[in-house]
Structure formats: C-alpha cells, structure tokens
Amino acid sequence: MNSAISEFARVGFHQAKISDIVANAGFSQRTFYIYFENKEALYMEILENWKNKLIQQFIIGKNDPNNQTNTRKRWEEIFKFMAYNPDYTRAVYFLNPYIEEIRKEILNSLIQIMTWEQENEYLRKEVSIGILAESTLATIESLTLRYVLNGKESSIFLAEQISDIYINGVRQKNHK
C-alpha cells in the first residue's frame, strides 16, 4: 500500500503504473493481481480507508461538554491527520480523479455531525448547517494545501486559530 500511495502522490492516478508500484514494493505483478483486480481497485481501497479515517476525526470530542476544547481538539486532529502522511493526503485528496464523489461523502458526514450538534445545542439554531459544513470542508482543504502539506504551520497553531474564529468570530467585541 505504501508503495502505491507514494506512486499515486508522485504522478497521480492516471500516470501511475502497476509495474512501478510493485517494483518499488519488491513483489511481482502476479502477486499484485492476487489481491487487486486492477489499479483502480487498489486506489479505491486506499481512498476508502483514508476517507473513513478522516471522517473519524470529525467526531472526536463530540460529546465533550466543553465546546471550546472540543472544537480546538477536532481541528487539531483533522490537521494532524492530513499532515501525518502528506503523500497519502495528496494522492487521495488533491490528486484524486474521484474527488467530487468523495467530497460529497465527507460533506454529508459533516452535515450529519453538525446537525446532531445543532440539535444538542452546541451550535446556534439559526446557523445554516449546509453552509457551515461547506465552509468547514473548504477551510480544511485550503489550509491543508497551503500550510499543512508543506509544513508552514503546525496543526496546533492552525487548530487554535480556526477554533478561535469559529467560537469567537473576528470582530472586536467592543467595536462600534
């Protein structure tokens, strides 16, 4: 799997070759076909595994009564996950020919989690969950691409900044 992830991250899905993947992994193409029908089956398994792990990060601290700690921890775990294996993140998210399908699944998971949070009064009732989920996913994508994958900022710093914005907003409290 690691050889495949590296190859997909290096050249993308379409240019990746099974021969290169198995050569880097140190086994034969014959062995590859025992486990996978084709390159797409391998890619889809990698993708499904990554997507499920990312979605798990969204539910961290879901029942924590301290909303500020919960929000910061969740953002930190999301950015840590994205940074843990940059090749993995690049290969399955940013170089993914199936990204729109996967993005919809991630967005639907966010909507479910945020709907639960709104119903349990963690989020204000007047907040549009669809817009909040979309903006959250866009924030994750943008900050991961600009700061996480190239190591410009730590997961902790990004989590602190984003959770502060989500919890406290951006306006000065005493400004008229």
Side-chain angles (χ1 to χ4, degrees):
M1 288 286 192
N2 289 337
S3 175
I5 291 167
S6 294
E7 188 66 13
F8 290 134
R10 190 176 70 78
V11 298
F13 172 77
H14 294 296
Q15 280 69 43
K17 296 179 184 150
I18 293 171
S19 59
D20 292 336
I21 292 169
V22 298
N24 291 334
F27 58 89
S28 70
Q29 284 193 23
R30 182 179 220 152
T31 303
F32 174 88
Y33 287 108
I34 291 171
Y35 296 99
F36 302 101
E37 182 178 334
N38 53 33
K39 177 176 73 171
E40 185 172 10
L42 168 63
Y43 189 78
M44 295 308 285
E45 185 170 318
I46 291 168
L47 179 59
E48 191 68 20
N49 187 13
W50 183 89
K51 179 194 69 176
N52 291 335
K53 286 179 181 178
L54 175 62
I55 289 170
Q56 286 302 305
Q57 307 313 306
F58 297 146
I59 60 175
I60 288 173
K62 184 174 158 183
N63 296 317
D64 188 338
N66 185 339
N67 198 27
Q68 290 185 348
T69 301
N70 173 11
T71 301
R72 191 201 53 75
K73 177 92 172 129
R74 183 179 299 167
W75 279 104
E76 183 178 334
E77 292 304 317
I78 289 168
F79 289 129
K80 275 189 199 173
F81 173 76
M82 299 295 253
Y84 176 71
N85 186 338
D87 281 350
Y88 200 7
T89 300
R90 277 187 199 90
V92 300
Y93 203 85
F94 294 103
L95 298 174
N96 183 347
Y98 308 101
I99 191 59
E100 284 309 312
E101 179 182 320
I102 297 308
R103 197 174 187 283
K104 284 178 189 173
E105 290 180 45
I106 293 169
L107 187 61
N108 285 334
S109 293
L110 274 172
I111 288 170
Q112 289 175 356
I113 291 162
M114 290 174 172
T115 298
W116 181 91
E117 289 177 335
Q118 194 173 52
E119 289 167 355
N120 288 277
E121 300 179 358
Y122 288 98
L123 300 173
R124 293 179 301 147
K125 294 286 183 201
E126 63 273 13
V127 171
S128 166
I129 295 301
I131 292 172
L132 178 60
E134 237 350 297
S135 66
T136 299
L137 187 54
T139 299
I140 292 167
E141 292 168 347
S142 180
L143 293 179
T144 296
L145 191 58
R146 296 182 196 284
Y147 297 103
V148 175
L149 293 181
N150 59 22
K152 283 187 176 178
E153 293 293 348
S154 74
S155 300
I156 294 170
F157 175 78
L158 290 171
E160 288 170 350
Q161 292 295 303
I162 295 302
S163 60
D164 184 49
I165 291 168
Y166 271 65
I167 293 167
N168 300 314
V170 296
R171 295 196 61 161
Q172 274 293 2
K173 296 202 187 305
N174 296 327
H175 193 274
K176 294 179 184 182

